[in-house]
Amino acid sequence: MTEHARLNPAVTITRQWWHSSTVYQIYPRSFADSNGDGIGDIPGIISKLDYLEKLGIDLIWLSPIYASPMDDNGYDISNYQDIAPEFGTLDDFWELLAKAKERGIGIVLDLVVNHTSDEHDWFLQARKGRNNQFRDFYIWRDPGPDGGPPNDLQSIFGGSAWELDPSSGQYYLHLFSRRQPDLNWENEGVRRAVYDMMNWWLDRGIAGFRMDVIDLIGKQPDKQITADGPHLHDYIQEMHRETLRHRDALTVGETWSVTPDSALLYSGRERHELSMVFQFEHVTQRWDEVFGKWRSKPFDLVALKAVFSKWQQALAEDGWNSLFWGNHDLPRAVSRYGEDGEFRVPSAKTLATVLHMMRGTPYVYQGEEIGMTNASFTSIEQYKDIETLNMHRLHLAAGLSPQDFIAGAHMNSRDNARTPMPWTDAPHGGFTTGTPWIEANGNVGSINAAAAVDDDQSVFHHYRKLITLRKTHDVIVYGRYQSYLDQHPEVFLYTRTLGGDRVTVLANLSKAPVVVELPGEIVTGGEALVWTHQPISSLEQTVSLRPWESFCILTRT
Ligand code: TEU
Ligand code: CA
C-alpha cells in the first residue's frame, strides 16, 4: 500500500488487506491437466501461476482438492487433511502454496463442513451402530409413523433428504447427495474436530477459507429449519474464537439465504464472524418460483440494478460485500447476463466494469477473464454434474420432455462453468493431452487464454486493468456508492465518491445503441480510467452509447 493510501484521511474504516484484493476461483478438475489423464490437477495449477500473476490477482480460491470419492467433484470429502490422488499429493499442495506466495498470491481453501463424504472415517464409524462414538457426529432419526422418512425435508439435489441405513433401521440426513451425510453441529466433538482441522491448514500458511453452505450448519431438521438455524451465529463466533482470532485470514461464507440484515451479522466489524459472504439475489432473481433455475425469467436490468444498489447501500457503513457474476455452480457470466455472440467481447468487458467498480471484494471465476461461454451440449450423456443428472431423472419422470430439460440445462446446468479452461487453440483447448473428463467448448479455437494474452484489446487485459485500478485508487475500494437512472431499462449509471475523488461508471447493458440524457451532476470531465470502445474523459448532457459500450471517468477536485 502506498504512503498516500495509508494516510488518505477520507478513509474512515480500518483497512483490511482483502479490501483491495481480487480473488480468482479455480475449479481444479477443469483448470489444467499436467499428466494427460483428462483431469486437472495441482501441478497443472502451478504451471499456470505466471498467467495468474500477469492477470494481477491476489488470491486463489481453490474449490476442494481434498481426498474424495468425487460424488460431487470433491464437495464430498473423505479426508480433510489429504489430497485427492487425481489432483496430486500434499507435497504438490505445499509447492503450490510456496510458489504462489513467491508471486504474492495467497491460497484460500474451500471449507466444506456442512457435510462429509459417506466414505469419511467418521461416517464409516458412525454407521457401525447406534453405540459407536461417532454416531452422533451425524444426524440420525427413527422412521416416521408410516415407516418412511422422519419428515419430508427435500435434498437440494432432488428427492428426500433422509436415507435409510438398513443395518440400524434409522435414517440419516443429507441436504445434498445421499453420499454427503450432514454433520451434526450440535455435537461439540464435531465442532472441535473442524476447528482443529482449520488450524492445521491455517498454521501451514493458507490465506483463508471459502465456507461452503455455511448458513446451513445451524439446522434443526425436526422443525424443517435448514438455513439460519437458531445457533448459526453462535457456531460461527465460536469458530472465529477457536481458529481465526489473532490471525489475518480472509473468510467468505457461501450463504444462499442471506439478507442485507443478516449480512451485517456475518460481516459486521464488531461481530467477529467472517470477512464477507456471498449473496445470491442477483442469481435467484431470474429463477422461477416453482421450477427454480430449470425455468428462468427474462432478463430485467431495472430489477438487477435494484439488487446491486440495495446491497451496496446496506453494507455502506458496516460489513463488506463480495462481488461476483459466476462460480462453479452458475452459468457463464457472459452467456447469462451479457451476450455471447456478436457482442461477446464488449458485453464481457461491460459486465466486468460494472461489477469491479462497486464496493466490495471481486471474485473472478476461471475463464470469465477470457469471456468463456456456456457449454453447448446437446445430449444428456455429455453432462457430468450430479445435480443435473439427478434433476434429469426426476423431471423426466414427472413428465418434462427431454428437449425442454436440455433447454433448461443449456441455461443453468452447473456444467456450463465446468468445461475445461482453454489455454490454446490445440485440441480440447490444450487443457489435456488426453481425453478430458468433460468435453471442451466448441469455440476453444477462438476463445482461449493464449489468444487473449496476445491481444491487448481482449477481455483478459480489461480484467487486468480493473484489478490494477483497485490497487491504485482508494475511491474504488472505499468510495460511497450512488446510483442514477434507476428506472432506465438499458443503462447502468453510478458514481463512487471519496474525498475529492469521484468515479463515474456509465454502461449500456443492451445490444441496441442508446442515447441517454444524464442528470446535471453527472456532466463532468476528468481522466478516462477504463472503457470498452474508446477512452472517454468528459460527459455532456446527452450521450450516445454503442451496443454494450461502457466507460469510467475519474474526476478529482
Ligand atoms: O453449493 C450449494 C448449493 O446450494 C448449490 O448446490 C446450489 O444450490 C446449486 O448449485 C444451484 O443450482 C455448494 C457448492 O458450491 C456446490 O458445488 C456443492 O455441490 C454444494 O455446496 C454441496 O457441497
Ligand atoms: Ca491430471
Side-chain angles (χ1 to χ4, degrees), residues 33-41 86:
D33 174 23
S34 70
N35 61 354
D37 67 355
I39 299 175
D41 47 50
E86 54 263 72

Side-chain angles (χ1 to χ4, degrees), residues 16-93:
Q16 304 292 343
W17 60 269
W18 36 263
H19 284 163
S20 55
S21 296
T22 299
V23 185
Y24 186 88
Q25 184 191 353
I26 289 181
Y27 196 66
R29 200 172 190 79
S30 305
F31 192 62
D33 174 23
S34 70
N35 61 354
D37 67 355
I39 299 175
D41 47 50
I42 296 174
I45 299 172
I46 295 172
S47 75
K48 300 302 180 190
L49 285 171
D50 288 344
Y51 170 82
L52 296 176
E53 185 179 13
K54 187 171 294 175
L55 181 58
I57 53 108
D58 304 277
L59 294 153
I60 295 169
W61 151 26
L62 267 189
S63 275
I65 34 80
Y66 315 96
S68 162
M70 301 286 166
D71 186 48
D72 185 18
N73 288 355
Y75 282 89
D76 49 318
I77 296 169
S78 55
N79 185 343
Y80 289 102
Q81 282 161 242
D82 205 354
I83 305 293
E86 54 263 72
F87 292 156
T89 62
L90 269 176
D91 280 337
D92 291 330
F93 181 79

Side-chain angles (χ1 to χ4, degrees), residues 15-200:
R15 289 171 182 272
Q16 304 292 343
W17 60 269
W18 36 263
H19 284 163
S20 55
S21 296
T22 299
V23 185
Y24 186 88
Q25 184 191 353
I26 289 181
Y27 196 66
R29 200 172 190 79
S30 305
F31 192 62
D33 174 23
S34 70
N35 61 354
D37 67 355
I39 299 175
D41 47 50
I42 296 174
I45 299 172
I46 295 172
S47 75
K48 300 302 180 190
L49 285 171
D50 288 344
Y51 170 82
L52 296 176
E53 185 179 13
K54 187 171 294 175
L55 181 58
I57 53 108
D58 304 277
L59 294 153
I60 295 169
W61 151 26
L62 267 189
S63 275
I65 34 80
Y66 315 96
S68 162
M70 301 286 166
D71 186 48
D72 185 18
N73 288 355
Y75 282 89
D76 49 318
I77 296 169
S78 55
N79 185 343
Y80 289 102
Q81 282 161 242
D82 205 354
I83 305 293
E86 54 263 72
F87 292 156
T89 62
L90 269 176
D91 280 337
D92 291 330
F93 181 79
W94 305 138
E95 186 184 334
L96 169 62
L97 193 63
K99 292 201 165 144
K101 195 169 183 185
E102 284 168 18
R103 292 165 168 83
I105 297 174
I107 305 282
V108 172
L109 286 182
D110 215 312
L111 183 78
V112 188
V113 291
N114 174 69
H115 45 269
T116 67
S117 160
D118 63 346
E119 292 185 27
H120 193 289
D121 190 53
W122 298 335
F123 193 72
L124 296 177
Q125 297 276 338
R127 78 180 330 170
K128 283 188 176 158
R130 297 186 188 216
N131 296 322
N132 187 277
Q133 55 167 326
F134 288 98
R135 184 74 172 180
D136 191 46
F137 265 44
Y138 296 88
I139 299 170
W140 302 89
R141 293 291 182 270
D142 290 329
D146 62 348
N151 61 33
D152 45 59
L153 261 183
Q154 294 294 298
S155 149
I156 291 160
F157 292 162
S160 172
W162 297 100
E163 181 75 7
L164 180 66
D165 167 49
S167 70
S168 66
Q170 286 192 309
Y171 284 83
Y172 66 84
L173 181 76
H174 62 90
L175 292 179
F176 294 90
S177 109
R178 64 167 64 90
R179 303 208 50 198
Q180 293 167 299
D182 279 55
L183 284 165
N184 175 18
W185 273 74
E186 288 177 13
N187 181 316
E188 209 187 314
V190 166
R191 306 205 300 276
R192 189 70 261 159
V194 168
Y195 306 153
D196 288 349
M197 174 271 284
M198 290 172 69
N199 283 324
W200 189 84

Side-chain angles (χ1 to χ4, degrees), residues 258-260 263 279 281 306-316 321:
V258 71
T259 62
Q279 66 80 18
E281 225 180 309
V307 167
F308 280 121
S309 295
K310 178 174 85 177
W311 281 89
Q312 289 290 300
Q313 305 294 1
L315 304 188
N321 268 301

